Amino acid sequence: MKKTFFTSESVTKGHPDKICDQISDGILDALLKEDPLSRCACETIAYPDSVHMMGEITTKAKIDYEKVARDIIKSIGYTKDEYGFSDKAKITYSFREQSPDIALGVNSASDEPEELGAGDQGMMFGYANSEGEEYMPLALEYARKLTNRLTEVREKGILPFLRPDGKAQVTIEYHDHKAKRIDTVVLSAQHDEVNDLDSLRRDLKREVILKALPEEMIDENTKFLINPTGLFIEGGPNADTGLTGRKIIVDTYGGYAHHGGGAFSGKDATKVDRTAAYAARNIAKTIVASKAADEAEVQLAYAIGVAEPVSIHVKTFGSAKIDDERLISWIKKHWDLRPLEMIKRFDLRKPIFEKTAREGHFGKKEYPWEKIDENALNELKKMIE
């Protein structure tokens, strides 16, 4: 028996980098509500009681950038001066229009797919495996359950001493590539000043860890590291500068798959960093759902201004019932991977992105790119019969 371990992390929506992701995607959503053809590349930085947004925006929309940012900060829970960062923070911005050189490669005079080029060069990855119920890696799925529960107990007042910042990490023990148990749980939760750290840790274990994670995956040897450095009073941007795009592994597959390096948040759907990553995930998920493979990673690569991908690569880690060449032929038949066609297929001109910045971009059934095409699925099933 081969024993291995794998670890993934997740962060709450009050983490400084996640605040910036949400603001950037909140700006994008606000633009799309008024002008679905908006071009947006919004970056955000957050530090003690200050936020600055910058980037390139081309739009007919007229929005109040400051109000969008302030409302998001408030919705996250940063409402008290004592946090050192709140919805009363100084908010500034500096936007300019998209570079004409970039726009030249992307702009289309009509709605023809071949006339909308990729907004940048690069490679994007999509991944799925058969571990979790949504074809996501278990370590990441469990880490997200922890941060979601951490937010829930704070917002519902179950643990009223909690503050918005927090993060979790889960290590899974595998036997011959099969998940067997949770080896280690790390949970760090920002909190008010407390007199009894041991009591705080007991509360977090009872109300967060044991209610978020499956009982059958925890045993007497599972290690729990709760606020391992001790007190965690100062957090959010008051303790650590936040920046859009620094949590790309949390956003995707928890380190279980390759990543092309491009962030998602704040980018409209002409940016293939986002759109092609969504399409690659849709393809990989369909492969695993069909049982053609237990694990699949799909790479798409683009050149700026060129509509068709320059390459398509599939990796199934020795788990496939069909060879990669046939899989690529099947992909080309069922997915038009030109930017405009991906935008249409996944309805990416709607204001749906702020939620992805809060909850992760994959593994949510309601996202259009998580919905499996039945025709593609059924054909692949027939190919492996």
Side-chain angles (χ1 to χ4, degrees), residues 182-253:
I182 294 173
D183 181 75
T184 306
V185 177
V186 182
L187 185 69
S188 296
Q190 187 192 12
H191 56 83
D192 294 336
E193 292 194 29
V194 295
N195 295 321
D196 188 348
L197 188 57
D198 288 337
S199 177
L200 179 145
R201 286 171 168 153
R202 286 193 298 270
D203 288 344
L204 286 170
K205 183 177 180 180
R206 182 187 67 252
E207 294 295 340
V208 178
I209 295 173
L210 297 182
K211 292 192 176 177
L213 300 179
E215 183 179 353
E216 66 273 14
M217 290 294 286
I218 296 173
D219 60 27
E220 67 277 6
N221 294 316
T222 299
K223 298 178 283 293
F224 301 99
L225 304 176
I226 303 170
N227 282 26
T229 62
L231 297 177
F232 183 6
I233 296 170
E234 187 174 297
N238 192 46
D240 186 14
T241 298
L243 187 65
T244 300
R246 267 205 308 224
K247 285 292 173 281
I248 57 176
I249 300 303
V250 171
D251 282 343
T252 51
Y253 308 104

Side-chain angles (χ1 to χ4, degrees), residues 12-15 18-19 22-23 49 68-89 150-152 154-156 160-166 190-192 233 235-237 354 358:
T12 67
K13 63 182 182 179
H15 184 281
K18 273 289 128 200
I19 295 168
Q22 289 165 85
I23 291 173
D49 254 339
V68 171
R70 208 174 294 285
D71 287 348
I72 289 170
I73 295 167
K74 184 177 181 179
S75 73
I76 292 169
Y78 284 101
T79 56
K80 298 180 180 179
D81 292 341
E82 64 200 74
Y83 293 168
F85 179 84
S86 75
D87 57 328
K88 303 181 193 69
L150 192 58
T151 296
E152 181 183 20
R154 174 179 63 84
E155 292 182 340
K156 289 184 175 179
F161 54 80
L162 290 179
R163 294 182 176 185
D165 198 357
Q190 187 192 12
H191 56 83
D192 294 336
I233 296 170
E354 187 189 335
R358 291 196 307 270

Side-chain angles (χ1 to χ4, degrees), residues 271-376:
K271 313 294 192 297
V272 283
D273 278 344
R274 178 167 225 154
T275 308
Y278 290 173
R281 160 64 178 174
N282 188 254
I283 296 166
K285 183 176 179 180
T286 306
I287 292 171
V288 176
S290 74
K291 301 189 185 305
D294 295 325
E295 187 176 11
E297 182 183 81
V298 175
Q299 185 207 56
L300 305 174
Y302 289 83
I304 187 168
V306 179
E308 294 282 357
V310 298
S311 69
I312 302 172
H313 178 75
V314 178
K315 187 176 182 180
T316 51
F317 307 90
S319 69
K321 299 181 178 69
I322 183 172
D323 64 67
D324 293 349
E325 188 175 340
R326 291 182 70 198
L327 279 174
I328 290 174
S329 295
W330 166 81
I331 291 168
K332 289 179 177 178
K333 178 180 178 180
H334 289 280
W335 280 267
D336 189 330
L337 297 169
R338 292 174 293 179
L340 186 58
E341 284 302 295
M342 292 188 290
I343 290 169
K344 289 178 177 177
R345 181 175 188 140
F346 302 123
D347 212 5
L348 298 180
R349 284 179 172 154
K350 288 187 175 178
I352 59 173
F353 298 108
E354 187 189 335
K355 183 175 182 179
T356 66
R358 291 196 307 270
E359 300 180 10
H361 296 253
F362 305 112
K364 298 285 183 181
K365 292 179 181 179
E366 63 268 31
Y367 295 162
W369 51 91
E370 291 289 321
K371 294 175 182 175
I372 292 172
D373 182 305
E374 291 297 326
N375 290 331

